[in-house]
Amino acid sequence: MSASATLAVDAAARLLRERGEQVVSFGAGEPDFPTPEHIVEAAVAACWDPRNHHYTPTAGLPALRDAIVAKTLRDSGYEVDRDQVVVTNGAKQAVANAFAVLCDPGDEVLVPSPYWTTYPEAIALAGGVPVFVPADESSGFRVSVEDLSTALTPRTKVLLFVSPSNPTGAVYPRAEIEAIGRWAFERGLFVVTDEIYEHLVYGSTEQHSMPVVVPELADRSIVVNGVAKTYAMTGWRVGWMIGPPDLSAAAVNLQSHETSNVANVCQLAALAAVAGDLSAVAEMRAAFERRRKTMVSLLNEIDGVTCYEPLGAFYAFPSVKGVLGRSLGGRRPETSAELAELCISVAKVAVVPGEAFGAPGYFRLSYALGDEDLVEGVKRLDDLFSSADG
Ligand SMILES: Cc1ncc(COP(=O)(O)O)c(C=O)c1O
C-alpha cells in the first residue's frame, strides 16, 4: 500500500517551513479557516460531561445520527432512517467501510479518473479491483455512460461516484447524474457516492445526490459524507456513511472490531455543526469563489499551463504538459512528478503531481489558502517555468 501522496506533499512543506523556508503550499486538502466557535464550545462542554468519558454505541451517538438524518433531508432531500447512518472516523473510514462491506475478492469497482488517491487503496484493501474510467478536460473531467460501459465486465459490482470531485473540481449536472444512476441501476450495480464537497459549488452550479435523482438506487447506494470540508473540521475526524440497513449493520460490525465509537467529544462537536445553520460554509464558499477565479486566471497566463475552470471543491487541476521537457533550474523534468519536485526544491511551492490521482501531466493546487499566498505561489511557478533556457 502506498502512502497518501497528498499528505506526503503537505508533510514535506511543513518540514521545509520548520527549517525556516518561506514555503507556499497548494498541497492541503483542507479549509484554511478555524472551526466555528459554537462548534468548539460544544466540544469544550462535552469534555466536562462524564457521560462522554466512556464507550458509546459503535454506530454513533443517537442524537448525532438523528441530526445527520435531518441534515440529509434538509441539504439533499434524501429521506433516511437512523439505522442507516454509521458515524465514522472521517469520511475516509466511511469510504473504507463501504468497500469492505461491498467487495468480495476480485469484484471490480469502476473509478472515474482522475480519482482521489484513497479510493484505489481502499478498494484493494477490501479485496476489490479498481477499474479506472478516464476523463479529461475535453469532457470537463466527467465520465459518461458510454465511458462507463466500455469498462463494464461481468465482475463489475460497484460504481464509485464523486461530485464535486477531488482532484478536478468537476461537478456533474443533474441530467448526467440521472443517466449514470439509471445505467448503474439497470446493471444491478451498487453505487458509493462521495458527497463530502456538497456545499462547495460555485456560480450557478448545483450539487445533486444520486439516490435522490434516481430513487430506485436507494437500497443499492452508500452515501459518504462528513463535517471536514463544510465546517473546517478536518482534524476532528467525523464522517458518516448512509446505506441500506443491512450494509450499514455490516459496517457497524466491522467498525466494532476496528475502532469502536468515534471520540464522543468530536461527535458532539459534529452534532453542533450539522444541527446548526450553514452560515460558516457560506462565508468560506465566498472566499473560495474569489480565490478560484484568481487562481484559474493566473494559471492560464503561464506559458505551458492550461487550467480548466473547476466548478466545485477547492482544487484547480491544470495541465502542465506544456512545461515538461523544458530545461529548468539545471534540470529537464519529463513528468509532472519530477516538475513538482522541482517546484518544491527550487521555488519552495508545494503542489501535488497528477500521478497521485492517476493523471500524469497535471498538478493539483488547493486554493484553500490565503489570497496573498495564492498569488505569491502562482507567481513563483510562473517565474520558475518562464526561466526555461531551452
Ligand atoms: C473526495 C474526498 N472524500 C473523502 C475525504 C475524506 O474526508 P475526511 O477528512 O472526513 O476523512 C476527502 C478528503 O480529502 C476527499 O477529498
Side-chain angles (χ1 to χ4, degrees):
M1 175 163 286
S2 54
S4 164
T6 50
L7 295 186
V9 166
D10 217 41
R14 252 181 253 266
L15 202 68
L16 279 177
R17 270 199 199 111
E18 276 165 23
R19 292 193 200 138
E21 302 276 11
Q22 297 297 313
V23 178
V24 177
S25 179
F26 293 113
E30 57 181 347
D32 58 322
F33 295 86
T35 302
E37 218 171 291
H38 72 281
I39 298 174
V40 178
E41 289 299 342
V44 171
C47 278
W48 287 110
D49 183 344
R51 284 176 301 175
N52 299 321
H53 302 172
H54 302 282
Y55 293 128
T56 53
T58 299
L61 295 170
L64 176 58
R65 294 171 84 199
D66 287 344
I68 291 167
V69 167
K71 168 252 168 285
T72 305
L73 187 61
R74 177 193 68 185
D75 297 348
S76 317
Y78 190 28
E79 203 169 341
V80 297
D81 293 328
R82 182 204 283 176
D83 66 350
Q84 295 180 254
V85 177
V86 184
V87 179
T88 55
N89 283 280
K92 207 172 243 185
Q93 190 179 24
V95 168
N97 280 355
F99 291 120
V101 299
L102 284 172
C103 291
D104 287 320
D107 282 345
E108 292 177 1
V109 181
L110 299 177
V111 180
S113 168
Y115 50 79
W116 180 44
T117 185
T118 286
Y119 297 136
E121 300 291 0
I123 293 164
L125 193 60
V129 179
V131 176
F132 302 114
V133 185
D136 60 22
E137 50 275 75
S138 65
S139 64
F141 290 109
R142 304 191 306 274
V143 295
S144 65
V145 162
E146 290 70 36
D147 299 327
L148 293 167
S149 297
T150 59
L152 190 77
T153 78
R155 291 304 313 255
T156 310
K157 186 162 186 189
V158 185
L159 165 67
L160 178 279
F161 187 75
V162 52
S163 174
S165 151
N166 173 7
T168 65
V171 182
Y172 285 73
R174 188 185 166 100
E176 291 180 24
I177 296 176
E178 184 171 355
I180 291 172
R182 285 205 188 293
W183 176 88
F185 177 73
E186 283 158 12
R187 277 145 197 84
L189 303 183
F190 289 90
V191 173
V192 174
T193 169
D194 185 339
E195 303 185 353
I196 191 99
Y197 295 101
E198 64 181 334
H199 291 295
L200 296 174
V201 292
Y202 308 110
S204 56
T205 309
E206 289 177 0
Q207 191 269 349
H208 296 281
S209 178
M210 191 175 272
V212 175
V213 176
V214 183
E216 309 90 287
L217 260 182
D219 60 4
R220 305 187 71 81
S221 305
I222 294 181
V223 175
V224 169
N225 208 333
V227 293
K229 319 283 175 172
T230 302
Y231 303 98
M233 290 180 70
T234 48
W236 298 78
R237 312 307 307 135
V238 185
W240 55 85
M241 57 170 271
I242 301 174
D246 56 342
L247 291 180
S248 292
V252 173
N253 289 348
L254 173 71
Q255 199 167 301
S256 73
H257 295 294
E258 282 187 334
T259 53
S260 303
N261 64 277
V262 173
N264 295 316
V265 168
C266 295
Q267 289 198 63
L268 286 159
L271 173 59
V274 298
D277 65 22
L278 294 168
S279 52
V281 68
E283 257 175 59
M284 288 199 293
R285 189 170 48 233
F288 293 152
E289 170 101 61
R290 187 178 67 238
R291 296 169 188 172
R292 173 184 75 116
K293 287 193 180 130
T294 309
M295 177 171 263
V296 172
S297 75
L298 290 178
L299 285 170
N300 277 319
E301 282 170 19
I302 303 179
D303 182 31
V305 176
T306 51
C307 186
Y308 183 84
E309 188 183 345
L311 298 177
F314 39 65
Y315 308 103
F317 201 66
S319 162
V320 292
K321 291 174 192 162
V323 182
L324 302 180
R326 292 184 187 172
S327 172
L328 298 172
R331 305 216 329 245
R332 198 178 284 278
E334 298 290 347
T335 65
S336 42
E338 286 169 17
L339 185 62
E341 215 285 306
L342 206 64
C343 291
I344 185 80
S345 60
V346 176
K348 307 288 181 263
V349 174
V351 299
V352 189
E355 281 84 346
F357 313 102
Y362 296 83
F363 275 180
R364 190 194 76 173
L365 285 82
S366 163
Y367 47 84
L369 78 173
D371 297 67
E372 283 174 20
D373 277 358
L374 187 157
V375 173
E376 166 67 18
V378 180
K379 183 178 172 308
R380 286 191 203 175
L381 293 181
D382 193 6
D383 290 346
L384 175 66
F385 296 172
S386 55
S387 69
D389 51 18

